[in-house]
Amino acid sequence: MTTGEIGGRNHFTDFDLDSREFSENFDEVVSAVHAGCPVARSEVQGGYWVVSGFDDVRAIGQDWQTWTNTDGYEPSRSGTDEARLYPLEIDPPYQTRWRSLLGEYFSPRAIRANKEGIRTNTNALIDQFVEQGGCDWVDAFAAHLPGRVFFSTMLGVPLEDLPYLQAAADQAVRGEISERADGWNKVGAYLDGYLRQRQEEEPRGDFVDAVLRGVETDDGEPAPWNHKIFVMVDMLAGGLATTTFLLAGIAHFLATHPEDRQRLVDDPSLHAGAVEEIIRVYASILSLGRTATRDVEVSGQQIRKGEMVMLSYAAAARDPRHFENPHTIDITRKIPTNIAFGYGPHRCIGSHLARLQAVTAMEEMLRRLPDLRMAPGADVVFSHSTVTRDIVSLPVEFTPGAKEGA
Ligand code: HEM
């Protein structure tokens, strides 16, 4: 039985979601907590609990009365931060009203309409490096597609603004940690200006018009302007780094599993299931927080009112009680509930957009880069923070192809 001592740190009594010891021993630590410590303790950032079991994560996700989101999504965030993320950091019923308003624009049917736009963006990016026979997949592709898709298909911003917005979003998500706040400020300022401009224009009947319409707060007042900005920023905070990691995960999987890659080239009916399984194993949200509104017990551990728990979606997605060989990607596995997207009222609103980007990108990768492989001697570089897991570098090679002029 493990004691939780891995890589020089005790992950049962002194977990640190941000730590190198966790990042470098991810699979081993996740297995250890599942085997011996479903609710681990952290002594960093003021202290918090880490919940890893599939059933516990699911039950807490559903029980928003006991577990509030209003104290922030990570330990260092509680307090008076002016820049909030909505609907992530509010509870029902206000949260439900926002979700009902926005849901129609993120439904599978609404999202499907973006398929050809996503394909065009995918091929335009591949055109930029296909003749070279190699690239860093994150820098050349994965970091760019989610922003291009979101800004051009969901927001409808002018094309000439895309490079600025993409660079600001890139800085916010992947820049030096000290530079990220500045990146988000730029994104927030741009979105503020864009919303003001759209308010003066004829409605287009899109997601931005819905945000402008807004909903009522719990006091029956119209949602104030800053709440609308919080919603816009949450879409980017929730949708960019996560999808970047997923697109990098797909490339990493294809580059390191040539037999599965060939099966996927030969049989497109396997694509959607393979993507689901890649989302499970390369779960981009490492963890997100809840705060106890009363004293409560979780898997035998007493949690006191006011304490924060981090729900580890990435660990829950590898719970051996739910998944045989949990660290292995089996492209034919059937996944009834993909806990990597969360559970309950805050379950990911962008899941269908992420899936569609992933399936479309996989189709085009298999068509245009069918022998994608790791560059000789190169290795994937993972990193993570409290909230997201990332691939920061993925040097790949492939037989050079021709541009298609997408
Ligand atoms: C692989 C891709 C993605 C993964 C793994 C992922 C994961 C998650 C998870 C686990 C949650 C639940 C948060 C919680 O319970 O506290 C969530 C919520 C959310 N996601 Fe995603 N996400 C992805 C892509 C996207 C995309 C593409 C968008 C938008 C364009 C998006 C927007 C959001 C928003 C706004 C929320 C908050 C919803 C709420 O609080 O009601 N996500 N996501």
Side-chain angles (χ1 to χ4, degrees):
M1 172 66 88
T2 170
T3 58
E5 195 75 41
I6 298 167
R9 184 176 203 101
N10 191 308
H11 299 271
F12 290 0
T13 55
D14 187 21
F15 211 117
D16 180 0
L17 288 158
D18 275 294
S19 70
R20 187 180 47 75
E21 296 86 355
F22 180 31
S23 189
E24 287 176 359
N25 303 283
F26 186 80
D27 290 10
E28 203 187 338
V29 174
V30 166
S31 290
V33 289
H34 281 309
C37 190
V39 184
R41 179 66 191 165
S42 175
E43 293 303 339
V44 300
Q45 297 195 60
Y48 56 87
W49 301 97
V50 183
V51 175
S52 299
F54 185 104
D55 292 335
D56 284 340
V57 167
R58 190 166 56 175
I60 293 174
Q62 276 176 301
D63 182 3
W64 58 269
Q65 279 109 334
T66 305
W67 302 100
T68 181
N69 274 36
T70 55
D71 281 349
Y73 62 78
E74 60 179 351
S76 55
R77 193 169 165 80
S78 311
T80 57
D81 199 330
E82 284 300 306
R84 311 293 292 181
L85 298 180
Y86 284 6
L88 183 62
E89 295 181 297
I90 43 177
D91 291 336
Y94 186 36
Q95 186 261 358
T96 317
R97 284 196 285 279
W98 274 111
R99 289 292 300 246
S100 308
L101 177 77
L102 301 177
E104 106 178 59
Y105 303 92
F106 288 93
S107 70
R109 197 169 59 83
I111 291 300
R112 256 198 311 276
N114 297 310
K115 173 101 181 165
E116 285 319 305
I118 294 173
R119 196 185 301 286
T120 304
N121 277 296
T122 299
N123 280 317
L125 286 171
I126 294 179
D127 269 4
Q128 289 176 10
F129 56 75
V130 68
E131 292 174 332
Q132 293 161 16
C135 65
D136 185 294
W137 187 256
V138 179
D139 281 343
F141 185 84
H144 301 288
L145 186 67
R148 282 177 81 127
V149 167
F150 194 79
F151 298 137
S152 61
T153 63
M154 301 295 290
L155 286 190
V157 298
L159 229 53
E160 60 270 23
D161 290 357
L162 281 184
Y164 172 80
L165 252 184
Q166 184 65 58
D170 211 34
Q171 178 185 342
V173 173
R174 301 199 309 132
E176 292 295 321
I177 290 179
S178 58
E179 308 269 299
R180 290 185 189 176
D182 182 51
W184 283 121
N185 287 342
K186 287 183 195 158
V187 171
Y190 178 91
L191 292 175
D192 180 86
Y194 182 61
L195 273 191
R196 286 181 198 284
Q197 175 203 322
R198 288 287 304 270
Q199 203 174 23
E200 304 303 316
E201 292 176 7
E202 280 296 305
R204 300 182 196 173
D206 64 359
F207 150 81
V208 179
D209 286 331
V211 175
L212 282 170
R213 268 199 316 282
V215 296
E216 283 188 354
T217 65
D218 288 340
D219 301 330
E221 298 293 327
W225 182 257
N226 64 342
H227 291 194
K228 297 176 182 176
I229 306 290
F230 298 167
V231 169
M232 299 290 281
V233 176
D234 197 2
M235 292 301 156
L236 302 187
L240 296 188
T242 49
T243 315
T244 291
F245 180 60
L246 170 57
L247 296 169
I250 291 172
H252 183 230
F253 175 69
L254 295 177
T256 50
H257 294 78
E259 284 173 17
D260 283 322
R261 193 183 67 216
Q262 195 52 51
R263 282 179 76 189
L264 291 163
V265 169
D266 295 340
D267 185 356
S269 74
L270 295 173
H271 292 185
V275 160
E276 214 57 39
E277 178 69 344
I278 293 171
I279 291 169
R280 181 185 71 80
V281 170
Y282 291 85
S284 0
I285 298 285
L286 177 61
S287 71
L288 277 166
R290 301 286 190 272
T291 301
T293 59
R294 60 177 174 85
D295 291 354
V296 55
E297 195 183 298
V298 179
S299 279
Q301 177 61 55
Q302 238 353 96
I303 312 275
R304 285 200 303 277
K305 179 178 175 178
E307 289 187 324
M308 176 163 264
V309 301
M310 295 303 289
L311 302 181
S312 180
Y313 296 110
R318 300 199 192 182
D319 186 337
R321 288 166 202 84
H322 279 260
F323 306 102
E324 208 178 313
N325 300 323
H327 302 299
T328 303
I329 291 182
D330 168 0
I331 59 173
T332 60
R333 197 194 294 264
K334 300 280 174 268
I335 305 175
T337 301
N338 206 330
I339 196 81
F341 284 123
Y343 204 84
H346 291 277
R347 185 175 159 75
C348 182
I349 194 171
S351 61
H352 303 298
L353 182 58
R355 286 181 170 116
L356 188 67
Q357 286 183 69
V359 169
T360 311
M362 182 187 266
E363 284 166 7
E364 295 307 311
M365 287 157 77
L366 294 169
R367 183 176 72 80
R368 300 187 67 185
L369 316 167
D371 61 352
L372 190 79
R373 55 194 179 267
M374 296 299 294
D379 215 347
V380 58
V381 180
F382 285 92
S383 88
H384 65 234
S385 67
T386 318
V387 172
T388 58
R389 258 193 109 206
D390 310 292
I391 289 178
V392 286
S393 171
L394 183 66
V396 291
E397 276 190 353
F398 42 84
T399 303
K403 289 186 182 188
E404 293 182 349

